[in-house]
Amino acid sequence: MILASTGYKTVKDTIMIPLSDSIPINYTLSPSINKLSEVVVKGTLTKRYADKDVYFLPSSVRKNSSSAFDALKILPYITIDNVNRKISTANGENVKILINGINSDESELLTLKPSDIAKIEYYELPPSRFATDNVGSVINVITKQVTQGGTMFVNLQNAPFTGFGNDQLRVKYNKGNNQFTFAYSGDYRNYKRRDANSSYSYMENNNLVDKVKVGLDSPFEYTDHNLWFGFINQQTNKYVFSASLTTGIHTGSSSIAQNILLNNVSYGSKSISSNSDKEYRPSLDLYFEKKITKNQDITFDVVSTYFHIRQSSNYLEQAINDAPFINSGDINGNKFSSIIEGIYSIRKGKNLLNVGVRGYFANSNDKFLGSANNEFISSKTNSLYEYVELIGGIHKWSYQLSAGSIYNGFQSVQLQKKYNFFSFRPSLNVSYALNPHSQLKLTSLIDPYMPQLSQLSSNIIFEDSIMAYAGNPALKPYNKYEASLTYALNMPKYNLSTSLNGFYAGSIILPEYMKENSYFVQTFVNQKWEKKVSMDMDLHLSPFKSKWVELDMYGELYKTINKGIDFENNRVDYQYQSSLTFNYSNFSWICYFQNGYNDLQGEILQMNAATTYTSLQYKKNNLTLACGLYYPFEKSWNSTSESYKSPIIQIKERTDIYDNGHMLFFNLVYNFSFGRNYQVSQKKISNQDNDPGILQAK
């Protein structure tokens, strides 16, 4: 007889029992204790699919990050601007941020605990339902399905010696099947030590003129207030209804004072400009999702947004012996838009089929009163997007195929402009798992671009007595063609991604300089084409098991070719960024650097500012304290741009904000939970209108 049980020693015994008799026998099994030298659990923190990559936070990131905003540093090809609390792609494109599929932004990420994150879905190529959102990628942060329902989160970042602050507050409360949320974010800047320098070189009466404007103290300030009220009612596996009301309020003002030199001689000339702007933007989002069967559901989303913007500008250029040049402008714009979308989804095995339709309708009215001209423009914009999307996998292959048709209509009586543009938007994502640690991915798509109202208006805005800005009513939509091949490798101590990318756009809208009477105009024109090829690499390295040091690096080499009607410009440029983090106990020391890099757009070369900062952070339970320096090695933040090979004028502009140089800041993050748990559902549709769609000054 053999007696065996897991965790106990096996007993073997031989018993002799007479036939037709029974003998009671008791056995006691002794525990079997085996000491293992180690237990190795193999897993992965990244899962890659054709349409997205799914990231799970390492324990070191959960421990050392103060918020979900900081935790997103694990994503490749993403730039996190800790100064302005903004997230963008590595090449500067906008990123759409979702939390459980709901429209969100950086301020909400700053009020989300890393410990509440279940996973992060990263769509390097936006899914079909976001085709018309003008974003470079999509990030969807999924929280744990059961989270503490009552929470309060505070995140305060302020500079004691500079007018600089980013502050957030979020409160959630649960009752029954309902969840109520209130959130507030406030950002402000008040810079005193700022100057703007510019120079213009051009021919006048066959003589070369060099006009240089030397910057003096030029204050700059703005405040942003955002309020968010949310309500969710749901029954698990039956339906979800949510409503949210957001209100954004922006006010800002700036002034620029400059001394003017003509051909290196000062004639006592000066220029003074002042600008102010106000924006009010309320938005209502209603969402409903109904599960029809276990594998089928239908979803609707309606978003209505109102924009009101008021901008004013004044410019005075005074010379001792000449009449002054005076220009002023006042823009009063209003826009109302609605987005209506519905999606039917059905899942069978590993395959998911989405069929959706999205309508966009907007009316805007803009009034411009200026020294040069007065203008009133009313316009109607509408679009209809229908799409089919199939997501699935076979063996080592995974795929995402989509096809959609887009109709865009625009009409304005005052601009004498009307167009109806139809386009086909297919996209293809295919990935192949080479082995458990590496993958190849091919992505391609065709994406239409519609000119904005600010690009279509011929309204003239003067920045200088010889320099003005204006739109072009003759602009037409165009298509963008993109493709990339990516290799990704995930190992225990490092993650590596590298890709080859190609871009082409015919009839692309690019800026160009023109001469009008006695001044120059920067406007927009449908040029012949643009081509761009690039190669990039993203590396995350954690060489030690304890994660006491972590390195993140990104680099890109790219070539841009712009073929215009009257010009052809091309450049080879590069950019790189790196972040080094040291972790010890509850302390983290972070050092970040990004070089200044160039962006060629027609006849303009925009040079993006370099960014550096270092911070020391202490985190204990629900409290995080940090202090640091922005731009520790630079005397200022600066932004520069210049004309690029224009045959009629050479322009150089640079703005410096000295308040940002060596700027000391403090950061406090605190959160606590209360109340009952609440089941969090993920939205399948998320819409938002971020384009004011009205005339704006430069």
Side-chain angles (χ1 to χ4, degrees):
M1 182 175 61
I2 300 176
L3 301 175
S5 180
T6 302
Y8 295 89
K9 294 180 179 180
T10 301
V11 175
K12 297 181 179 180
D13 196 6
T14 302
I15 304 173
M16 303 297 296
I17 302 176
L19 198 63
S20 72
D21 199 356
S22 63
I23 301 175
I25 301 176
N26 295 323
Y27 286 94
T28 301
L29 301 182
S30 301
S32 176
I33 302 175
N34 294 318
K35 184 177 181 180
L36 302 179
S37 58
E38 65 176 326
V39 176
V40 179
V41 178
K42 294 185 178 181
T44 178
L45 295 175
T46 306
K47 291 185 177 181
R48 300 187 183 276
Y49 305 90
D51 61 322
K52 64 185 176 185
D53 295 334
V54 179
Y55 291 84
F56 300 90
L57 295 185
S59 58
S60 60
V61 174
R62 292 184 186 275
K63 177 181 177 182
N64 299 311
S65 298
S66 62
S67 66
F69 181 88
D70 297 327
L72 292 186
K73 65 184 180 182
I74 68 171
L75 301 181
Y77 309 125
I78 290 296
T79 297
I80 297 179
D81 181 355
N82 279 276
V83 179
N84 298 301
R85 298 295 183 92
K86 296 296 182 182
I87 296 175
S88 62
T89 64
N91 56 11
E93 293 182 292
N94 294 326
V95 173
K96 190 173 187 68
I97 298 172
L98 310 173
I99 296 180
N100 295 318
I102 299 175
N103 261 320
S104 303
D105 55 25
E106 289 85 352
S107 63
E108 187 167 357
L109 291 176
L110 288 162
T111 60
L112 179 62
K113 295 188 295 183
S115 58
D116 286 341
I117 297 176
K119 59 184 179 180
I120 301 171
E121 297 177 344
Y122 176 47
Y123 300 83
E124 189 174 346
L125 179 68
S128 296
R129 59 187 181 275
F130 302 117
T132 58
D133 283 11
N134 193 30
V135 294
S137 61
V138 177
I139 297 173
N140 187 19
V141 178
I142 308 300
T143 60
K144 294 178 180 177
Q145 286 297 299
V146 178
T147 61
Q148 193 72 19
T151 59
M152 175 177 282
F153 199 107
V154 178
N155 192 326
L156 307 176
Q157 183 190 52
N158 292 272
F161 308 115
T162 303
F164 176 95
N166 301 306
D167 303 320
Q168 290 81 31
L169 168 68
R170 180 171 294 270
V171 180
K172 291 184 179 181
Y173 176 73
N174 303 312
K175 185 175 182 180
N177 292 326
N178 304 316
Q179 183 181 81
F180 304 88
T181 303
F182 167 77
Y184 166 79
S185 68
D187 302 331
Y188 69 91
R189 303 289 187 270
N190 189 358
Y191 297 138
K192 304 296 184 182
R193 297 182 299 123
R194 167 180 173 264
D195 63 39
N197 297 273
S198 56
S199 66
Y200 308 92
S201 182
Y202 56 95
M203 298 297 296
E204 185 177 84
N205 298 325
N206 295 321
N207 294 315
L208 179 64
V209 178
D210 286 319
K211 183 176 182 179
V212 177
K213 303 173 75 173
V214 181
L216 305 174
D217 286 341
S218 303
F220 166 79
E221 65 176 350
Y222 75 79
T223 58
D224 286 327
H225 300 281
N226 293 282
L227 297 172
W228 192 86
F229 302 90
F231 169 76
I232 298 176
N233 174 265
Q234 64 176 359
Q235 289 191 14
T236 305
N237 297 323
K238 290 186 178 181
Y239 72 88
V240 177
F241 170 76
S242 74
S244 63
L245 175 64
T246 60
T247 300
I249 303 172
H250 167 86
T251 60
S253 65
S254 64
S255 65
I256 297 178
Q258 298 169 311
N259 287 327
I260 301 176
L261 305 177
L262 288 177
N263 295 326
N264 295 320
V265 178
S266 173
Y267 296 95
S269 299
K270 293 185 178 181
S271 68
I272 300 174
S273 66
S274 61
N275 299 275
S276 64
D277 61 298
K278 297 179 180 180
E279 179 179 346
Y280 175 62
R281 186 183 66 239
S283 180
L284 177 64
D285 186 347
L286 301 176
Y287 173 90
F288 181 75
E289 176 188 340
K290 174 68 176 178
K291 185 168 285 296
I292 303 173
T293 65
K294 181 180 179 181
N295 297 317
Q296 299 181 69
D297 52 64
I298 191 167
T299 309
F300 298 98
D301 189 37
V302 178
V303 179
S304 295
T305 307
Y306 171 73
F307 294 90
H308 173 70
I309 288 184
R310 183 75 179 264
Q311 296 179 339
S312 64
S313 62
N314 296 279
Y315 179 78
L316 169 65
E317 189 172 309
Q318 177 68 63
I320 293 178
N321 298 321
D322 295 329
F325 175 83
I326 301 175
N327 185 265
S328 63
D330 187 89
I331 298 174
N332 193 334
N334 297 277
K335 173 190 169 184
F336 179 80
S337 70
S338 291
I339 302 173
I340 303 173
E341 183 173 9
I343 293 181
Y344 168 75
S345 302
I346 180 170
R347 180 180 294 277
K348 187 173 183 180
K350 295 182 178 180
N351 297 300
L352 173 65
L353 178 67
N354 293 318
V355 180
V357 58
R358 182 182 190 267
Y360 173 81
F361 313 93
N363 292 315
S364 66
N365 295 283
D366 306 292
K367 183 183 295 183
F368 176 80
L369 302 176
S371 301
N373 61 309
N374 298 330
E375 192 172 26
F376 174 78
I377 297 177
S378 63
S379 64
K380 294 182 179 181
T381 305
N382 55 82
S383 66
L384 185 65
Y385 175 42
E386 301 161 312
Y387 60 90
V388 177
E389 181 180 49
L390 177 64
I391 304 171
I394 302 175
H395 303 300
K396 293 185 177 182
W397 294 89
S398 60
Y399 53 83
Q400 182 260 342
L401 309 171
S402 71
S405 63
I406 302 177
Y407 160 75
N408 284 278
F410 176 84
Q411 181 177 2
S412 174
V413 175
Q414 293 80 7
L415 291 175
Q416 298 181 350
K417 180 71 175 178
K418 180 179 181 180
Y419 66 69
N420 296 296
F421 184 66
F422 295 88
S423 60
F424 178 58
R425 188 190 186 274
S427 69
L428 168 67
N429 289 341
V430 179
S431 66
Y432 178 76
L434 300 172
N435 55 55
H437 301 288
S438 61
Q439 179 199 52
L440 274 176
K441 179 188 288 188
L442 173 67
T443 66
S444 63
L445 83 155
I446 302 174
D447 202 17
Y449 177 85
M450 306 296 135
Q452 300 176 359
L453 180 58
S454 57
Q455 295 175 316
L456 291 167
S457 170
S458 57
N459 168 59
I460 299 175
I461 299 175
F462 279 89
E463 185 186 62
D464 183 272
S465 60
I466 63 164
M467 192 70 223
Y469 301 88
N472 180 3
L475 292 179
K476 298 179 181 179
Y478 63 91
N479 284 323
K480 300 182 292 183
Y481 302 84
E482 301 176 54
S484 66
L485 179 64
T486 303
Y487 171 75
L489 177 64
N490 301 315
M491 300 300 290
K493 293 186 177 181
Y494 66 91
N495 292 334
L496 173 68
S497 295
T498 183
S499 62
L500 295 172
N501 313 287
F503 171 91
Y504 173 82
S507 299
I508 188 171
I509 297 174
L510 293 172
E512 183 177 352
Y513 293 101
M514 296 181 178
K515 184 70 181 293
E516 293 284 346
N517 300 320
S518 61
Y519 58 89
F520 299 90
V521 178
Q522 178 191 314
T523 187
F524 298 95
V525 177
N526 281 103
Q527 308 291 356
K528 290 185 177 180
W529 48 258
E530 178 180 273
K531 297 178 183 178
K532 184 175 181 178
V533 292
S534 65
M535 178 176 64
D536 56 52
M537 184 189 72
D538 190 280
L539 172 67
H540 176 79
L541 178 64
S542 300
F544 303 103
K545 185 177 180 180
S546 61
K547 308 286 187 182
W548 71 270
V549 61
E550 296 178 278
L551 175 66
D552 292 278
M553 297 182 65
Y554 171 81
E556 180 183 11
L557 180 68
Y558 54 98
K559 180 176 183 178
T560 306
I561 306 174
N562 291 161
K563 178 65 173 178
I565 298 173
D566 301 314
F567 65 87
E568 180 173 339
N569 294 329
N570 67 84
R571 279 184 63 90
V572 176
D573 290 294
Y574 67 92
Q575 68 158 305
Y576 62 89
Q577 53 185 279
S578 61
S579 175
L580 186 62
T581 304
F582 299 94
N583 301 308
Y584 176 74
S585 184
N586 295 323
F587 292 90
S588 297
W589 181 30
I590 304 170
C591 302
Y592 176 85
F593 173 77
Q594 176 182 298
N595 76 312
Y597 62 95
N598 299 317
D599 182 18
L600 178 63
Q601 300 177 4
E603 291 189 330
I604 296 179
L605 182 65
Q606 180 70 41
M607 288 159 278
N608 298 277
T611 302
T612 58
Y613 70 86
T614 182
S615 66
L616 179 64
Q617 174 182 289
Y618 172 80
K619 184 178 180 182
K620 182 69 173 180
N621 298 327
N622 295 327
L623 176 67
T624 301
L625 299 173
C627 68
L629 281 176
Y630 287 128
Y631 307 104
F633 308 111
E634 295 87 10
K635 63 179 181 180
S636 70
W637 171 93
N638 67 80
S639 175
T640 62
S641 66
E642 63 183 48
S643 60
Y644 191 76
K645 297 182 179 181
S646 170
I648 62 173
I649 188 169
Q650 285 75 52
I651 303 174
K652 291 185 178 180
E653 297 177 321
R654 172 172 173 140
T655 299
D656 287 85
I657 301 178
Y658 298 94
D659 298 83
N660 283 148
H662 318 303
M663 188 181 78
L664 176 69
F665 73 91
F666 294 98
N667 191 196
L668 181 148
V669 181
Y670 181 71
N671 62 82
F672 65 92
S673 302
F674 59 91
R676 58 182 292 276
N677 290 339
Y678 191 80
Q679 188 80 9
V680 180
S681 295
Q682 180 179 349
K683 286 177 64 176
K684 293 182 173 61
I685 300 179
S686 188
N687 290 298
Q688 190 174 21
D689 187 3
N690 292 314
D691 178 17
I694 64 174
L695 301 176
Q696 296 188 73
K698 180 190 175 187

